[in-house]
Amino acid sequence: MTGQGAGSKGASRKSAAGGDAEWWRGAVIYQIYPRSFYDASGDGLGDLAGITEKLNHIASLGVDAIWVSPFYKSPMRDFGYDVADYRAVDPLFGTLDDFQQLLGRAHGLGLKVLIDLVLSHTSDEHPWFLESRQSRDNPRAEWYVWADPKPDGTVPNNWLSIFGGSAWAWEPRRRQYYLHNFLTCQPDLNLHSMAVQDQLLSEAAFWLDLGVDGFRLDAVNFCSHDRQLRDNPPLKPGERPTDGVQLDNPYAYQRHLYDKTQPETIDFLKRLRALTDRYEARTTMGEVSGDDSLRIAADYTSGGDRLNMAYTFNLLTSDFSAAHLRDVVAEMESVAGDGWPCWAFSNHDVIRAPSRWAQNADGSAEQAEDNDFARLLMALLLSLRGSVCLYQGEELGLVEAEVPFERLQDPYGKAFWPEFKGRDGCRTPMPWNGSADHAGFSTAEPWLPVDPRHLERAVDRQDHVPGSLLNAYRAFLRWRRRQPALRWGTLRFLETEDPLLAFYRRCPEQQVFAAFNLGGKPASLALAEPGGITPLDGHGFTASWENGRLTLPRYGAFFARADFAKQPDFAQQAENADTKQEETGKGIEGG
């Protein structure tokens, strides 16, 4: 066996399970992309009233919270991630009153509400930037990252934008360049300025005062840059980027040592955490990318005074194998300390997991639409140690939509077509009714087309079908809620070979053994110490367990109670961990 999970991994199980202040530990968070969730106004774009109208669907899944992607006032050149006013709702999505109704309805259904907070940059139409760009001596002159040109007029250094080209844009009024890690219209804020930090904390407090339960922090490790503006070094021969950036993008040719992930970011995160801790039961979840993103996520969530949790792109890449999944999770376990991870297989920035991983599992083009494969991904994601983000439509088994070039909206896709088609394929409208125009998303032509393959997976086609993927999600989430080991327990892997993945989860009330077959053919696993393994019911999976040999069907999963007194290796680990808990007053059982 490989050992993960030993040692102090966060708060005690009592605080994780019993205290509402830590509701986020082991929580399942449903991500909503507002433009594509439901259109209540009939203009072809989803809106806040539409989210409110469909909250019953989300509550029926049994998740703990929703995360709503940006709905702030914005020119929408990056669909809300270019904020022009942090305190205003863009009229496309409704009004502030619409948001407050959404918040009240969600809380009435027992759902926490997280909103996106974009701290690293704004829109170039934000009043702060409009003032900053006017001169070098105005009150907000230093609120953004400005730099003089080199003597020959060229850009200050070799930093690149994720969306292609230099990360610097010229401003003739100041005769300086400004930094933009994303689109040219998304200038980077200068968080080395305490005035900027104070203002951003004030923006966050506005929403906390309204009653939001926390924030998902976009591109959080982009919040500070190297003051000396040193060049990033190139990747060494054979090195591959870990940012989830495609190799045809020049951004993938550098090690991003200086344009992001600077030590000063942690100081700001401490200030943000101090703010959220002044409110009851609030949480923060950071999006982290980088050349060592798992360690960055661990640093950003350790110590109890930074972020509550963070997720990376390590499981949002095209790599799909038991070995890769085990390596990523094992590395996170080894560096996490008392930090807390959050895992996701899909979101609004990447190809949907069934399509992304089908190409790599057994080479079958049909695999992406295989419900057994989607059910396997569900069970695996919801069994890892940490919190979980589900992306809208994941519960329906939606595959990546085909969007023709003439319908593309994403500037990222337009820039890198045809090698990279952008992010529109995972952002198409949620299918509510398989027989209605536009899949019941809107009465008008949607901003992105509905993929015909999504019609048969619409909510109404699965809602009352006992064997549907949607109902498998509902059943599994209900079952998981009754398994404390899967929500807060430690994790320890067994040594297995592809396509098998197996691990133990442990907390004082329960010990669980879980195994997964990531392949398209049946596979078997023999336990050296089979004693104390008793199959669990109610999770929706079937497997053969006899005389210490487990046989899993294609894309199968198995869950059992485990008596670790009869598993010597794990029993010794548990004894050591419990001794450490008594000595330190902190338990591994909370994570």
Side-chain angles (χ1 to χ4, degrees), residues 24 64 113 309 503 515:
W24 47 271
D64 301 284
V113 178
M309 51 186 165
F503 48 76

Side-chain angles (χ1 to χ4, degrees), residues 222-392:
F222 284 83
C223 282
S224 60
H225 64 285
D226 175 47
R227 291 178 184 267
Q228 300 177 51
L229 303 182
R230 286 172 284 187
D231 281 348
N232 284 326
L235 285 181
K236 297 177 182 178
E239 279 188 315
R240 293 191 62 186
T242 56
D243 290 82
V245 178
Q246 69 278 6
L247 293 176
D248 57 319
N249 186 337
Y251 190 84
Y253 286 62
Q254 295 182 352
R255 292 188 64 213
H256 294 276
L257 293 185
Y258 300 117
D259 51 354
K260 59 183 179 181
T261 321
Q262 299 304 294
E264 295 90 339
T265 298
I266 290 179
D267 295 330
F268 174 67
L269 296 181
K270 290 180 178 179
R271 296 191 69 197
L272 179 63
R273 178 63 179 269
L275 170 66
T276 58
D277 280 354
R278 293 203 291 269
Y279 297 78
E280 184 179 359
R282 309 301 168 93
T283 194
T284 52
M285 173 177 67
E287 176 197 40
V288 171
S289 64
D291 298 324
D292 194 7
S293 55
L294 294 173
R295 187 171 295 278
I296 296 168
D299 288 344
Y300 282 14
T301 60
S302 66
D305 60 352
R306 305 173 188 183
L307 299 179
N308 298 97
M309 51 186 165
Y311 75 87
T312 72
F313 282 79
N314 296 74
L315 296 184
L316 294 168
T317 67
S318 60
D319 294 329
F320 182 80
S321 67
H324 173 70
L325 291 165
R326 181 171 54 247
D327 288 348
V328 168
V329 176
E331 182 181 350
M332 188 68 212
E333 291 291 306
S334 70
V335 301
D338 62 352
W340 188 256
C342 185
W343 299 107
F345 287 170
S346 291
N347 68 18
H348 66 293
D349 281 330
V350 298
I351 296 170
R352 287 185 177 272
S355 297
R356 191 176 75 246
W357 282 343
Q359 308 166 31
N360 295 277
D362 66 3
S364 169
E366 292 75 27
Q367 183 182 350
E369 299 186 57
D370 189 323
N371 275 346
D372 289 340
F373 186 54
R375 288 174 70 247
L376 166 72
L377 299 183
M378 168 197 74
L380 177 57
L381 176 61
L382 291 167
S383 299
L384 298 177
R385 189 187 77 90
S387 302
V388 170
C389 285
L390 296 176
Y391 181 49
Q392 65 183 46

Side-chain angles (χ1 to χ4, degrees), residues 156 181 190 215 234 252 442 473 503 520:
N181 278 296
N190 177 22
F215 304 108
S442 176
Y473 264 88
F503 48 76

